[in-house]
């Protein structure tokens, strides 16, 4: 009888330890997603504070922004690349309201231009029209095929940009070791990171439910990012006809 009682006590202690470990692990995973959102805010703040990087008039015409901090590439030329970040859009049916809560996204690709070795690169993508936004909100998108993409122009304004750039659905930029440039991400894919969104918001949500249907509010980890965008680009200055 005493032996059985000891076994029961040991079993209860073991289960309690497992539960505590599981809770701690879940909390650590949640913190990881929150850090990803915070890192995206830091990267965007640093980039937008340099006047000659992303043209202000392009940011003002963007419906959404994708920020991917520290994307890693395994090898020069052809090699795997993988990064995680956030997509954040202006609210409202026609993307004319304040910036809303972010959805977590993943970038996967086979080649990223001049990037070398195992270096980490920050990426910022401007989504320039509702069609591009709808593509990213609905499914996994291959850049250059499912959505037209181009290297974004630099400078205080986008004057002199080519027709290819001005007609692209997505404009992409990179920052590596202090060097900031427009870069083509054609052939890479972007997809909503469903499991990460569930960890961040505490329930299963699609990117569309987060960004378009407003089923959640802005999490604490994203407040700085949202505040930054509302300050830097409070109004959508796209041609109203292009938003219909």
């Amino acid at each position: 009888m005493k032996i059985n009682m000891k076994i029961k006590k040991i079993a209860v202690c073991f289960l309690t330890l497992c539960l505590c470990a599981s809770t701690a692990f879940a909390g650590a995973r949640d913190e990881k997603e929150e850090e990803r959102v915070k890192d995206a805010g830091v990267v965007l703040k640093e980039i937008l504070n340099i006047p000659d990087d992303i043209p202000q008039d392009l940011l003002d015409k963007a419906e959404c922004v994708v920020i991917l901090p520290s994307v890693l590439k395994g090898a020069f030329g052809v090699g795997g690349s993988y990064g995680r970040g956030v997509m954040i859009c202006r609210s409202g049916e026609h993307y004319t309201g304040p910036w809303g809560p972010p959805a977590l996204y993943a970038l996967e690709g086979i080649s990223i231009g001049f990037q070398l070795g195992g270096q980490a690169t920050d990426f910022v993508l401007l989504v320039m029209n509702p069609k591009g936004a709808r593509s990213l909100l609905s499914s996994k998108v291959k850049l250059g095929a499912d959505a037209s993409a181009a290297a974004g122009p630099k400078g205080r304004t986008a004057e002199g940009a080519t027709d290819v750039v001005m007609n692209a659905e997505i404009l992409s930029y990179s920052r590596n070791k202090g060097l900031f440039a427009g870069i083509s991400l054609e052939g890479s894919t972007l997809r909503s990171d469903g499991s990460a969104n569930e960890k961040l918001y505490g329930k299963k949500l699609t990117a569309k439910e987060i960004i378009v249907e407003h089923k959640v509010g802005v999490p604490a980890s994203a407040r700085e990012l949202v505040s930054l965008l509302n300050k830097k680009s409070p109004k959508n200055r796209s041609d109203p006809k292009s938003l219909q």
Side-chain angles (χ1 to χ4, degrees), residues 209-221:
E209 287 174 330
I210 295 168
I211 289 175
V212 178
E213 298 176 14
H214 313 298
K215 291 194 173 182
V216 288
V218 175
S221 57

Side-chain angles (χ1 to χ4, degrees), residues 190-226:
L190 267 174
R191 62 171 176 80
S192 175
D193 194 342
S195 60
N197 283 319
E198 183 177 358
K199 292 170 192 171
L200 180 65
Y201 290 105
K203 57 183 177 180
K204 288 186 177 181
L205 292 163
T206 65
K208 186 176 180 181
E209 287 174 330
I210 295 168
I211 289 175
V212 178
E213 298 176 14
H214 313 298
K215 291 194 173 182
V216 288
V218 175
S221 57
R223 286 173 189 162
E224 188 171 348
L225 171 60
V226 174

Side-chain angles (χ1 to χ4, degrees), residues 17-133:
L17 287 172
C18 287
L19 180 61
C20 290
S22 176
T23 303
F25 181 65
R29 289 188 301 177
D30 293 344
E31 287 176 9
K32 180 177 147 186
E33 313 311 323
E34 290 173 359
E35 284 303 312
R36 194 203 308 191
V37 176
K38 291 177 182 177
D39 287 346
V42 170
V43 166
L44 190 64
K45 182 178 182 179
E46 291 174 353
I47 289 174
L48 293 185
N49 280 341
I50 302 173
D52 292 329
D53 281 351
I54 296 175
Q56 182 66 43
D57 53 346
L58 288 183
L59 179 62
D60 288 341
K61 291 177 181 177
E63 274 67 80
C64 308
V65 178
V66 180
I67 308 111
L68 300 148
S70 300
V71 173
L72 291 172
K73 179 169 181 283
F76 177 73
V78 176
S81 61
Y82 184 73
R84 292 184 172 184
V86 307
M87 175 170 162
I88 180 170
C89 300
R90 300 179 195 270
S91 59
E93 182 183 359
H94 300 299
Y95 301 96
T96 55
W99 295 87
L104 299 177
Y105 269 71
L107 173 78
E108 298 157 347
I110 57 170
S111 182
I112 300 179
F114 61 78
Q115 193 181 350
L116 299 174
Q119 294 175 1
T121 300
D122 301 321
F123 290 97
V124 175
L125 284 64
L126 303 183
V127 184
M128 301 307 298
N129 56 46
K131 183 181 177 184

